[in-house]
Amino acid sequence: MREAHPIERTVGMEYYVSDADGVGGRLRASPADFRVTELEAFDTAPVDADTGGYPHLVLRVELSNWDTNDFASALSDRLGISRERVSWAGTKDKRAVTRQLFSVKGVGPADVPELDGADIEVVGRAGRPVLFGDLAGNAFDIVVRDADHPENAASVVADLRAFAGGEETDTLPNGETAVAVPNYFGQQRFGSRRPVTHEVGLAIVREDWEGAVLAYVGNPHEREPEDTQAAREYVDETHDWAGALDRLPRALGYERSMCHTLVENGAEGPEDFREAVETLPTNLQTLFVNAAQSYVFNRILSERLERGLPFDRPVAGDVVCFRDSDAPADLPLPDTDRTQRVTEKRLRTVERHCERGRAFVTAPLVGTETDLGEGEPGEIAREVLADVGLEPADFDLPGAFDSEGTRRAVAVRTSLAVDRDGDDLSFSFALPKGSYATVLLREFRKGDPDE
């Protein structure tokens, strides 16, 4: 087990599980080097179905170098509708070529516009919108360019195979290898260049609304342009929201929106700062709290690694979930609605379920209804929460900020193919929804995730 890059440690990813040296190289040298295809799990009716019963038009969109939120905004602007009428199954990386589902309420096929960098196909209609999570997973084809040490890839694969519980010689009939990594939330969950969304979320959960605004509008990061850093430093030093509007770059639309609200309201009390946060899109408000939960989860996984607890099988006190019976045979999906606490008496039985891919060890995504577990796993969760100054009841919040919490598998397994072409390495694999390709690739690259 090896210490992670400093920027990863700020979001709770403290370690790599592979002790092998990294390959280095460049990720996303071009959007075409990072291809993501949703494994769809959403049923549609024909496009000519009755619009009364099927008001949502479903689109399959291939995007090149588009942020998902930005595309949704551009699409709604061109259609002349509220952005809230556009929804999708999963948020994807911007610098990539992605193929994913969107739905738009109350429009017809003839209304769909053309947008640069977007190939839009009308799939059909649906009685409800495509919602976050309406997919089985994602398939990835990713190229790491100009690897410094491509020869190290084999050693990393061996380490990840061992972490999955396999023998060093285990390979699959098609030449792929069964590997596993900790199911961390990746850097993009928190902001790749400026990882602060969890800081905003932690402030919200503590109901420190002014702190949440300052974490988002102020709080400069060394990776940002100098003028942006200077504007954020001014905010931190002065709390002058009108002056901030004169300094914040026009591209920082969300920050400017919050400042406008504070100028209009006078920024006199907590409710004014809360209203400023609530000027942001609803999904972004929810994302802040989700990022706080993700940070706590990452910290829990890192502590589990540090203590040497297994990830492929439970210990007494763990909570496991079972395999989703509707999941594709080649993509085991944890069903976190079906959980069971592991006792000493049931330990061996549950271990066998985990060995056969029928059950998964989980850790808490903390909310008001979360089971923190018992024994050493429960102790870890409670210690991490105490360290960040939170408890489950704190997630009883208004509107988009409220969360009951859930569980999440501590490890993610996949079948991996790695090919080498000179100093370039190609990776092909699929992951269940909610898991991050970059969390697998970080084990190979072992460097700055933004490079």
Side-chain angles (χ1 to χ4, degrees):
M1 189 175 66
R2 163 176 195 156
E3 194 170 277
H5 189 277
I7 195 73
E8 295 179 322
R9 299 183 70 195
T10 65
V11 298
M13 294 189 287
E14 298 280 349
Y15 304 107
Y16 305 110
V17 297
S18 168
D19 287 328
D21 290 338
V23 303
R26 294 182 299 140
L27 190 60
R28 298 188 184 89
S30 73
D33 283 346
F34 201 104
R35 292 185 175 272
V36 189
T37 301
E38 283 185 351
L39 304 176
E40 297 170 6
F42 187 81
D43 295 327
T44 59
V47 72
D48 58 356
D50 173 57
T51 55
Y54 299 92
H56 300 273
L57 190 69
V58 180
L59 310 174
R60 183 178 295 116
V61 185
E62 183 169 288
L63 298 174
S64 179
N65 210 32
W66 267 103
D67 175 85
T68 308
N69 280 282
D70 290 345
F71 173 76
S73 296
L75 181 61
S76 62
D77 287 346
R78 288 289 297 275
L79 289 168
I81 63 174
S82 165
R83 186 187 161 291
E84 300 293 334
R85 287 163 59 182
V86 180
S87 57
W88 56 92
T91 301
K92 304 293 188 287
D93 296 321
K94 176 180 178 179
R95 191 157 178 77
V97 174
T98 66
R99 192 170 175 83
Q100 58 192 117
L101 288 184
F102 288 81
S103 67
V104 187
K105 185 177 182 180
V107 303
D111 300 321
V112 177
E114 292 186 1
L115 291 167
D116 290 341
D119 182 6
I120 305 175
E121 172 193 356
V122 176
V123 176
R125 288 197 166 274
R128 66 168 180 83
V130 174
L131 299 174
F132 197 78
D134 276 334
L135 70 164
N138 296 285
F140 298 90
D141 292 289
I142 298 171
V143 180
V144 173
R145 300 285 180 190
D146 305 321
D148 303 295
H149 299 284
E151 68 279 3
N152 291 344
S155 297
V156 177
V157 169
D159 286 347
L160 301 187
R161 183 166 47 213
F163 188 73
E167 298 297 328
E168 199 166 306
T169 56
D170 284 351
T171 55
L172 303 175
N174 58 5
E176 296 178 343
T177 305
V179 299
V181 293
N183 199 18
Y184 281 130
F185 285 92
Q187 198 75 30
Q188 60 269 47
R189 179 72 158 190
F190 309 95
S192 296
R193 285 188 173 274
R194 181 173 172 257
V196 300
T197 55
H198 63 298
E199 296 178 23
V200 181
L202 289 169
I204 288 171
V205 177
R206 297 176 186 129
E207 297 193 81
D208 175 12
W209 300 103
E210 183 175 2
V213 170
L214 288 169
Y216 194 68
V217 182
N219 198 10
H221 196 279
E222 61 184 10
R223 293 171 181 248
E224 295 182 292
E226 289 185 7
D227 61 336
T228 301
Q229 291 186 52
R232 295 194 192 279
E233 287 169 2
Y234 178 83
V235 169
D236 282 348
E237 292 168 2
T238 67
H239 297 196
D240 174 11
W241 309 108
L245 283 170
D246 293 333
R247 292 165 173 79
L248 286 167
R250 293 283 173 184
L252 300 183
Y254 291 150
E255 287 90 335
R256 293 179 61 83
S257 174
M258 295 169 83
C259 290
H260 273 296
T261 301
L262 290 168
V263 170
E264 291 172 1
N265 292 349
E268 295 179 352
E271 287 304 310
D272 293 333
F273 288 97
R274 175 180 160 188
E275 186 175 338
V277 175
E278 290 177 335
T279 64
L280 302 178
T282 302
N283 69 312
L284 184 54
Q285 296 175 41
T286 302
L287 177 63
F288 289 142
V289 174
N290 292 161
Q293 294 168 310
S294 303
Y295 171 71
V296 171
F297 180 87
N298 282 358
R299 289 274 307 269
I300 290 170
L301 261 58
S302 291
E303 181 64 21
R304 188 178 182 107
L305 278 170
E306 187 169 354
R307 295 193 186 198
L309 296 185
F311 278 59
D312 60 330
R313 62 190 186 279
V315 298
D318 265 322
V319 175
V320 300
C321 70
F322 295 93
R323 178 174 176 157
D324 186 340
S325 57
D326 295 327
D330 58 348
L331 190 68
L333 296 181
D335 181 354
T336 53
D337 289 331
R338 298 172 56 223
T339 62
Q340 180 182 102
R341 180 83 61 80
V342 181
T343 62
E344 287 284 1
K345 183 177 180 179
R346 292 275 300 164
L347 181 59
R348 183 60 195 130
T349 299
V350 179
E351 282 181 342
R352 286 196 294 269
H353 286 313
C354 290
E355 289 166 3
R356 296 167 185 170
R358 298 174 183 170
F360 308 86
V361 181
T362 68
L365 276 172
V366 180
T368 55
E369 303 299 321
T370 308
D371 181 353
L372 297 180
E374 294 295 338
E376 194 167 6
E379 176 185 295
I380 289 172
R382 290 174 177 84
E383 287 182 2
V384 170
L385 280 171
D387 190 56
V388 298
L390 294 179
E391 56 186 49
D394 293 333
F395 288 84
D396 183 10
L397 294 163
F401 307 115
D402 179 72
S403 179
E404 293 182 355
T406 184
R407 306 283 306 186
R408 175 179 169 92
V410 299
V412 58
R413 295 174 61 96
T414 188
S415 299
L416 173 68
V418 183
D419 294 310
R420 178 178 176 180
D421 181 8
D423 291 336
D424 297 339
L425 292 166
S426 299
F427 298 82
S428 296
F429 53 96
L431 297 177
K433 61 184 178 183
S435 294
Y436 290 75
T438 51
V439 167
L440 173 62
L441 294 174
R442 69 186 282 273
E443 295 283 350
F444 286 88
R445 296 184 63 240
K446 290 192 172 72
D448 188 329
D450 197 40
E451 292 181 351

